Amino acid sequence: MVKAYRQEHIYKHPWERVTSASWRKIIGEDICHCLESSVVDAKSRSMQLTSRNISLQKFIEVEEKTRYDPHPDNPTGWTICSRETRIRIKPLSALASSG
């Protein structure tokens, strides 16, 4: 079973402030481990993050893609954040056979 979610949020702050805050996000306790890759294009002011879980992969796979860009209506003052999350829950038969 796969579920996908998409959301957008407008931060009324410049791209530089929003993306630097993203780098300082608080990591939770040792509940779930993930691998994150980041691509930053300072010239076009775009930042893309992709996160995937490493722990619990035999039960569930989670992939989250986040993109920060200057808002087209106010590129020097606002930032648009687009996030897409895909969650895949493994079927019970696959869990039983993985031993």
Side-chain angles (χ1 to χ4, degrees), residues 5-20:
Y5 304 94
R6 181 162 171 70
Q7 62 183 7
E8 284 190 354
H9 181 76
I10 298 169
Y11 292 100
K12 293 189 176 181
H13 298 281
W15 179 86
E16 292 80 5
R17 181 179 297 162
V18 173
T19 54
S20 68

Side-chain angles (χ1 to χ4, degrees), residues 1-5 60-63 85-89:
M1 177 170 75
V2 177
K3 291 282 188 181
Y5 304 94
I60 187 169
E61 293 176 355
V62 179
E63 180 181 67
T85 306
R86 188 181 64 82
I87 302 169
R88 180 174 177 254
I89 300 170

Side-chain angles (χ1 to χ4, degrees), residues 8-11 13-15 45 68-81:
E8 284 190 354
H9 181 76
I10 298 169
Y11 292 100
H13 298 281
W15 179 86
R45 296 170 63 212
Y68 297 95
D69 293 293
H71 193 284
D73 294 341
N74 186 352
T76 59
W78 295 353
T79 303
I80 189 162
C81 172

Side-chain angles (χ1 to χ4, degrees), residues 5-7 37 47-52 62-68 81-86:
Y5 304 94
R6 181 162 171 70
Q7 62 183 7
S37 64
M47 182 166 99
Q48 299 175 57
L49 307 167
T50 302
S51 300
R52 290 184 182 92
V62 179
E63 180 181 67
E64 181 180 77
K65 294 180 180 183
T66 306
R67 183 179 173 111
Y68 297 95
C81 172
S82 305
R83 180 170 289 132
E84 188 176 311
T85 306
R86 188 181 64 82

